[in-house]
Amino acid sequence: MILGVFKLTSCGGCQYSILDLGKSLLEQKIFYFTEISSSNLWHTFDVAFVEGSVTNDDEKELLLKIRQKAKFLVALGACAVSGGIQAIQRSKKDKGLIFYSYPLSDFVSVDLELRGCPVKSEHIEETLFSLSVGSVPYFPDYPLCIECKRKGNPCLMITHKILCLGVITQGGCGALCPSLNRGCYGCFGPVKGANLKAFFRCALRMGLTEEKIREIIMNSFNGYHQIFRELYDK
Amino acid sequence: MTNKIDFLTRVSGLANLEIIAEDNLLKEVRFSVRETPRLIEKLLLGRSYKVIPEITARICGICPVAYQLTALQAIEDAFGIKPTKEDLSLRKLIYLAEWIYSHTLHLFFVHLPDYYKVNSFLELFQIERELLEKAFFLRETACRIIEKLGGRAIHPLSLIPGGFSSYPDSLSPLIDPLRNSLKIAEELFTKLCSMTFPEFSLSEVQFVSLLDEDDYPILDGIIYDGKRKIDKRSFRDYFLEVERPYSTANHSLTKEGKPYVVGPMARFEHAFEKLSPRAKELATKHGIIPPVDNPFLSPLIRMLEIVHSVELALEIAKGYIKPKKVPQELKPSEGEGIGITEAPRGILWHHYKFDSQGLITHVNIVTPTSQNLASIELALFKSLSKEKGLEEASIRNRAETMIRNFDPCLPCATHFLEISIKKLD
Ligand code: SF4
Ligand code: SF4
């Protein structure tokens, strides 16, 4: 397959996960990936991976161009899916500072979102494999709690009174944080149908203020995800 | 005449190069970073100390552990807590793994194609398959170490103030891969020594690194500029940041206004004697000993640091016994803290002030890449002055190779507090 890998505003962590594919990378035709190659060609891409969020007009234009050239466009990681950690500064517009950071889906149609800050390299592998055999890649669409329970972890919220975003976060990482004895901070972003009201009730009962809970969600690296926007747009 | 190379390739992040010449005489070289600032420092203001390690890690996807560990040192400094010896040794292990990861990525997947005159490591695979397979193995080993300790290879999850949130039962699965890696790293060093590198001298810049009494510097130490020893609290008195209107990254200079170099070459210069036994032996055997002021030899020094890191990591993994305690929640208090460590690319400095709730009231981060930018421009200027024509085709390769000698990381360089240079809309 002909691949393109593109970077907008981001830390670079997600695109380098592509190197985890190791030697199987050689089976792909990588036409565009400026961080590892000096030869970059605009071509029709079977798959375009886009890392990073849109923070200015140049990036918006680049994204539109990629969309035109890509048969299948993948948003790679939390920056591309939700706008990333840099997106939460919109609430701090002061001194005439204009800064915005949007997910790709605010400008173009995205064929697949790979969640996580960073993405899981197995998910990139699964994507390429599925597409190469003509099927649609499938990723967990249930909350992290399910993975956590499958691992047999006791619930951190109940047993240790540690706040964990697992219940509103999309599974996929394998419940890494609770397995390491800390609460999930939400880097895979909100799960579809997340019950934010119930989550707020739980967290309030643990002694947090509403403002604090909102801040924790903003710090989740997915704070500006479509599902969370209602929390501070009002 | 201005000759502009848009879109430098094979560097981490986005940058341009502007070459300003008059009558074919080189006037100025501008290495301008185009990476959009993400204002990470600014967004930390008013937030809790707890989020610093996770959020600053997102400044860089290649060296997140460096940010986490430097931030933790600063937090621990502010609130007066001391990690145990076991925790420090595990932190060193995960940091060494990041050195291996970062150096391998840069050296073999980004830099080496230059020396074979190919466009990428993918093309290099056709020529040097075995060599790249070995490099993949080193990268893989480094990833496994970080995963074992931190859950995942990029932005690991277990590093918290006071120590780790959880400890692996055993590190024995790492021992065989590390043994193999040591063998491989030594072979690769020998192989690289057989290559020829261009001659060049950058003797006018100062090397600045940390010094650690017992170790090759990594987790902490005192700053050394070749003449003076400087405490981490006085960093700002000796090193200044200046804005460059053409770049979204600051440059650093010594207080005397001179460019300086941090990173592998500086560490090698100041701490050669403290390299691991195998690394030192190999270096001596091949005559790679200080002083080395030729940036084109930096691949050899990076490789040497890989040998060193693998050997040390193996030792730590072998001696590992799962620690008992898991650190407790700390009590924030008003105060300030400073962290300084040796990231793969050199000195990383964090400074925070907190109010009585532990909320951040001041933040300043100085990264290795921003410290090296002025030296990169100087090296480019010196190297391009020797070129006959200043046309893009002829200089692109030479300029890019010179830049890669310093392994700049542009997302790291571009993180500052305010955008006062370029308006984004
Ligand atoms: S999603 Fe996270 S890891 Fe990926 S580029 Fe953005 S900040 Fe980096
Ligand atoms: S548990 Fe949550 S924060 Fe941790 S890696 Fe998984 S999704 Fe990310």
Side-chain angles (χ1 to χ4, degrees):
Chain A
M1 284 189 294
I2 295 176
L3 310 185
V5 181
F6 300 85
K7 179 182 183 302
L8 307 178
T9 295
S10 60
C11 84
C14 286
Q15 55 176 344
Y16 286 117
S17 302
I18 292 178
L19 295 188
D20 283 340
L21 299 177
K23 277 178 276 173
S24 62
L25 265 181
L26 298 174
E27 292 153 24
Q28 309 293 344
K29 295 194 184 80
I30 302 184
F31 272 43
Y32 199 105
F33 191 168
T34 56
E35 311 235 339
I36 63 152
S37 178
S38 299
S39 144
N40 296 288
L41 300 173
W42 282 97
H43 196 280
T44 301
F45 302 106
D46 292 314
V47 190
F49 290 100
V50 183
E51 174 195 274
S53 64
V54 179
T55 56
N56 56 46
D57 288 347
D58 289 350
E59 289 178 341
K60 186 173 150 189
E61 251 162 62
L62 177 63
L63 176 63
L64 295 175
K65 185 167 169 192
I66 299 166
R67 177 66 276 185
Q68 268 181 4
K69 292 282 183 184
K71 291 192 203 153
F72 196 87
L73 192 150
V74 182
L76 196 64
C79 291
V81 170
S82 308
I85 189 67
Q86 59 274 20
I88 62 178
Q89 294 169 93
R90 61 192 53 260
S91 57
K92 292 196 171 186
K93 273 189 211 160
D94 50 31
K95 289 191 203 154
L97 175 77
I98 306 159
F99 185 88
Y100 62 74
S101 170
Y102 292 110
L104 311 187
S105 58
D106 278 21
F107 303 103
V108 296
S109 67
V110 169
D111 299 302
L112 178 71
E113 289 183 338
L114 291 187
R115 297 292 192 95
C117 179
V119 287
K120 204 172 166 174
S121 54
E122 286 90 334
H123 291 181
I124 298 176
E125 215 169 333
E126 160 73 19
T127 302
L128 289 175
F129 179 75
S130 294
L131 292 175
S132 72
V133 297
S135 87
V136 186
Y138 167 78
F139 298 104
D141 52 4
Y142 42 77
L144 190 91
C145 291
I146 298 203
E147 290 183 324
C148 191
K149 295 289 89 44
R150 262 194 221 132
K151 280 197 151 178
N153 297 330
C155 179
L156 289 170
M157 298 260 269
I158 295 168
T159 53
H160 295 289
K161 304 273 173 277
I162 294 176
L163 186 79
C164 179
L165 298 191
V167 68
I168 52 170
T169 300
Q170 178 160 314
C173 75
L176 286 174
C177 290
S179 311
L180 288 166
N181 212 7
R182 65 181 291 185
C184 165
Y185 55 74
C187 83
F188 267 60
V191 66
K192 204 167 138 211
N195 189 342
L196 296 180
K197 276 209 189 88
F199 176 74
F200 267 74
R201 271 205 304 278
C202 273
L204 285 169
R205 221 178 290 149
M206 290 174 75
L208 290 151
T209 62
E210 215 167 282
E211 197 193 334
K212 190 81 205 152
I213 305 167
R214 215 175 286 133
E215 192 189 319
I216 288 170
I217 289 177
M218 280 172 87
N219 292 348
S220 71
F221 303 92
N222 290 276
Y224 200 60
H225 189 281
Q226 200 69 46
I227 293 180
F228 287 147
R229 282 185 200 176
E230 55 167 288
L231 290 177
Y232 27 82
D233 270 0
K234 349 177 208 184
Chain B
M1 174 196 92
T2 301
N3 198 338
K4 195 164 174 187
I5 301 184
D6 277 332
F7 248 102
L8 290 168
T9 58
R10 272 193 286 132
V11 291
S12 166
L14 309 172
N16 294 342
L17 187 66
E18 261 179 274
I19 292 154
I20 298 154
E22 248 176 60
D23 305 327
N24 235 359
L25 212 70
L26 191 62
K27 281 271 178 251
E28 195 187 342
V29 177
R30 291 175 175 174
F31 180 52
S32 53
V33 179
R34 294 194 311 127
E35 194 75 30
T36 313
R38 287 184 297 143
L39 309 182
I40 299 281
E41 284 171 308
K42 180 163 179 111
L43 79 82
L44 284 171
L45 291 175
R47 290 176 199 274
S48 161
Y49 74 91
K50 289 184 190 162
V51 304
I52 300 175
E54 306 306 349
I55 291 186
T56 57
R58 268 64 178 193
I59 292 174
C60 178
I62 307 176
C63 59
V65 171
Y67 284 92
Q68 294 187 354
L69 290 178
T70 313
L72 289 174
Q73 192 192 112
I75 294 169
E76 288 160 358
D77 183 41
F79 303 140
I81 41 174
K82 277 209 160 64
T84 62
K85 244 174 61 204
E86 288 86 1
D87 283 333
L88 287 175
S89 141
L90 281 187
R91 282 185 180 175
K92 191 158 153 191
L93 175 58
I94 197 168
Y95 211 166
L96 289 166
E98 182 162 279
W99 277 25
I100 304 169
Y101 175 89
S102 174
H103 281 0
T104 309
L105 179 68
H106 180 70
L107 182 47
F108 295 97
F109 300 105
V110 174
H111 202 174
L112 205 59
D114 284 345
Y115 294 98
Y116 288 82
K117 307 242 176 307
V118 292
N119 286 313
S120 71
F121 79 89
L122 299 163
E123 287 175 28
L124 188 56
F125 236 105
Q126 316 304 328
I127 313 168
E128 289 279 13
R129 192 176 182 100
E130 205 189 320
L131 181 141
L132 280 184
E133 281 178 3
K134 287 178 177 164
F136 266 118
F137 187 83
L138 289 179
R139 183 182 176 277
E140 173 87 13
T141 305
C143 289
R144 290 302 86 78
I145 299 172
I146 305 174
E147 265 169 36
K148 191 83 192 154
L149 292 169
R152 63 181 174 197
I154 300 170
H155 304 322
L157 304 152
S158 62
L159 294 161
I160 58 167
F164 286 77
S165 66
S166 155
Y167 300 95
D169 290 330
S170 149
L171 295 182
S172 53
L174 300 176
I175 290 175
D176 275 343
L178 275 167
R179 279 210 181 97
N180 289 338
S181 295
L182 184 58
K183 211 174 119 256
I184 284 175
E186 290 180 14
E187 286 165 13
L188 290 174
F189 179 74
T190 309
K191 163 110 189 161
L192 291 180
C193 281
S194 68
M195 294 171 40
T196 35
F197 297 93
E199 307 235 340
F200 192 82
S201 157
L202 199 61
S203 53
E204 54 273 72
V205 301
Q206 259 170 280
F207 285 128
V208 181
S209 79
L210 297 183
L211 285 187
D212 184 319
E213 257 171 50
D214 315 307
D215 281 320
Y216 196 75
I218 182 163
L219 264 188
D220 58 21
I222 189 143
I223 306 161
Y224 183 60
D225 69 356
K227 287 188 234 78
R228 297 168 290 201
K229 287 187 179 166
I230 300 157
D231 185 79
K232 67 179 178 182
R233 285 172 219 289
S234 310
F235 181 85
R236 274 270 170 244
D237 301 335
Y238 288 87
F239 305 101
L240 317 167
E241 278 188 299
V242 286
E243 285 186 3
R244 288 284 183 255
Y246 52 82
S247 178
T248 60
N250 285 340
H251 284 199
S252 292
L253 298 170
T254 64
K255 69 169 179 181
E256 291 82 19
K258 280 183 62 166
Y260 62 100
V261 168
V262 297
M265 292 189 67
R267 292 190 290 253
F268 173 85
E269 171 84 13
H270 294 155
F272 176 79
E273 288 302 325
K274 306 247 166 60
L275 279 168
S276 76
R278 284 302 292 148
K280 209 160 88 185
E281 198 183 313
L282 271 175
T284 315
K285 185 175 152 200
H286 290 275
I288 308 297
I289 44 173
V292 172
D293 64 8
N294 178 2
F296 286 105
L297 293 182
S298 68
L300 294 178
I301 293 172
R302 260 176 220 111
M303 194 62 231
L304 212 52
E305 287 198 337
I306 296 176
V307 176
H308 162 86
S309 304
V310 173
E311 192 174 2
L312 244 61
L314 177 59
E315 221 155 276
I316 298 173
K318 277 201 220 148
Y320 177 75
I321 301 166
K322 184 179 179 179
K324 288 242 159 44
K325 76 160 201 38
V326 168
Q328 297 124 17
E329 181 104 346
L330 91 206
K331 291 239 164 9
S333 56
E334 196 179 326
E336 74 185 288
I338 288 178
I340 193 162
T341 69
E342 282 282 356
R345 293 169 182 75
I347 290 178
L348 176 59
W349 186 81
H350 285 215
H351 179 206
Y352 304 96
K353 287 184 188 159
F354 303 103
D355 69 9
S356 57
Q357 316 281 308
L359 302 182
I360 304 160
T361 57
H362 168 89
V363 47
N364 188 200
I365 297 172
V366 179
T367 64
T369 294
S370 67
Q371 295 177 79
N372 277 340
L373 286 173
S375 298
I376 295 177
E377 284 189 346
L378 178 70
L380 280 167
F381 187 87
K382 271 191 87 174
S383 136
L384 295 179
S385 313
K386 295 196 190 115
E387 294 285 323
K388 300 250 160 41
L390 288 168
E391 298 313 314
E392 170 167 347
S394 68
I395 52 174
R396 186 177 185 111
N397 193 272
R398 189 166 179 100
E400 286 197 340
T401 306
M402 179 55 95
I403 291 169
R404 286 178 203 123
N405 286 333
F406 293 86
D407 185 12
C409 175
L410 309 172
C412 275
T414 315
H415 65 280
F416 46 55
L417 206 52
E418 304 269 349
I419 311 177
S420 54
I421 306 167
K422 285 186 179 158
K423 195 163 163 281
L424 300 169
D425 52 16

